[in-house]
Amino acid sequence: MALTFYKYQGTGNDFVILDNRNKQITTLTTEQIRNICDRRFGVGADGLMLLGEKAGYDFEMIYYNADGNESSMCGNGGRCLVAFAHEIGIHRSLYNFWAIDGEHKAEIESNHTVRLKMKDVTSVEQHSSGIVLDTGSPHYIKLVPDAAVIDVYKVGREIRYSNEYKAEGINVNFVESLDNHTIFVRTYERGVENETLSCGTGVTAAALVSAHNDNGFNRIEVKTPGGHLSVEFDKMDDDNFQNIWLCGPAVLVFKGEINV
């Protein structure tokens, strides 16, 4: 089967996207998705997404990790899918789409910037060595003095496969505070099972726990190995965050065809 695909990236977090509005793609196996995402034998990507139709929404997002398994919400993937929707003729001033964690809104600004509204967060768990919260995907936040020197693969993998988290898996973020409004984040992603250049839900989680105001509006600038993002939100209290927007670039890399 020949598939026309689009390759997108958002701060180095890259994705293969397939237009499935005609519902022709119904038989992709875990192995086929894994092969498409393989960086030596396939297109190469951190994940694969299908854009489909859903009644009452502009489109539906279905996301698969590079290991071929359907996964939880991907923030950078959602932003890239909105850019793709615009590319194929779905033009809205405010997008409204459905993903695995529910409804999302998004806006496209100038210079390929996409703003994606994330789900509200109502629980932040303080652990002895880290902070755990769910921003559409589960994240473990470890605050560190120098994120650049961390062995993300080794330490992230140890936490991800620890007895507490190995069954469901967890994404692990190493967060360095650069100033009151800026953080540097590196992420080990489950499903990719390695460090990625950026992780949208991880950046969002890291920003929430780095809020600079006791309550009210916050904007956190986030540096990642793949580029710059920002997160805007209203902090209600230490466990509750609303109106969360993940903002950053989403860029078409190339279009092609692959036989699977």
Side-chain angles (χ1 to χ4, degrees):
M1 175 173 59
L3 296 176
T4 298
F5 69 88
Y6 296 74
K7 173 78 174 281
Y8 273 77
Q9 63 88 11
T11 54
N13 206 187
D14 57 345
F15 310 95
V16 170
I17 300 179
L18 305 174
D19 183 356
N20 197 35
R21 288 174 295 173
N22 57 14
K23 300 181 180 179
Q24 289 184 335
I25 304 169
T26 59
T27 58
L28 279 181
T29 66
T30 299
E31 182 179 7
Q32 286 173 323
I33 294 170
R34 187 166 57 243
N35 290 340
I36 292 171
C37 292
D38 190 285
R39 297 192 181 277
R40 292 179 175 82
F41 298 101
V43 178
D46 292 325
L48 179 145
M49 290 183 286
L50 301 179
L51 183 146
E53 293 183 334
K54 186 172 181 65
Y57 295 89
D58 296 320
F59 58 86
E60 180 179 22
M61 170 185 176
I62 299 178
Y63 177 72
Y64 298 88
N65 274 327
D67 63 5
N69 295 307
E70 188 172 357
S71 187
S72 49
M73 181 58 185
C74 176
N76 285 331
R79 294 189 310 97
C80 285
L81 200 63
V82 170
F84 173 65
H86 187 270
E87 171 74 18
I88 61 175
I90 304 174
H91 296 161
R92 305 285 189 271
S93 57
L94 181 66
Y95 288 86
N96 187 30
F97 71 92
W98 186 262
I100 193 168
D101 64 337
E103 180 180 293
H104 287 269
K105 298 185 185 302
E107 301 171 332
I108 298 179
E109 298 181 332
S110 58
N111 300 320
H112 305 289
T113 297
V114 177
R115 291 168 46 86
L116 174 66
K117 192 172 191 293
M118 308 295 285
K119 64 176 256 184
D120 291 345
V121 171
T122 58
S123 175
V124 178
E125 300 176 10
Q126 301 285 339
H127 291 230
S128 59
S129 60
I131 305 167
V132 175
L133 65 161
D134 193 311
T135 53
S137 290
H139 284 275
Y140 184 101
I141 306 295
K142 188 172 182 63
L143 304 177
V144 297
D146 188 352
V149 303
I150 296 291
D151 187 337
V152 171
Y153 178 80
K154 178 178 183 295
V155 182
R157 191 175 180 84
E158 288 173 354
I159 296 171
R160 183 260 188 265
Y161 283 102
S162 63
N163 289 336
E164 188 171 1
Y165 302 114
K166 65 181 178 182
E168 298 297 327
I170 199 165
N171 304 284
V172 183
N173 306 269
F174 301 90
V175 182
E176 175 187 353
S177 176
L178 302 179
D179 58 44
N180 284 341
H181 299 82
T182 309
I183 58 177
F184 175 45
V185 180
R186 296 176 65 192
T187 303
Y188 178 98
E189 279 200 54
R190 66 172 186 177
V192 178
E193 304 308 334
N194 208 336
E195 180 178 8
T196 53
L197 294 182
S198 177
C199 172
T201 54
V203 160
T204 302
L208 297 184
V209 303
S210 303
H212 51 80
N213 291 329
D214 288 337
N215 52 59
F217 177 79
N218 285 257
R219 178 182 170 100
I220 302 294
E221 306 298 327
V222 187
K223 295 182 179 181
T224 72
H228 181 269
L229 294 155
S230 60
V231 183
E232 299 175 353
F233 55 92
D234 292 328
K235 179 179 178 180
M236 314 310 291
D237 58 44
D238 288 344
D239 293 314
N240 292 275
F241 302 85
Q242 299 176 5
N243 300 317
I244 304 166
W245 291 81
L246 172 66
C247 317
V251 181
L252 172 65
V253 181
F254 61 86
K255 174 184 177 182
E257 187 174 277
I258 187 170
N259 288 309
V260 298

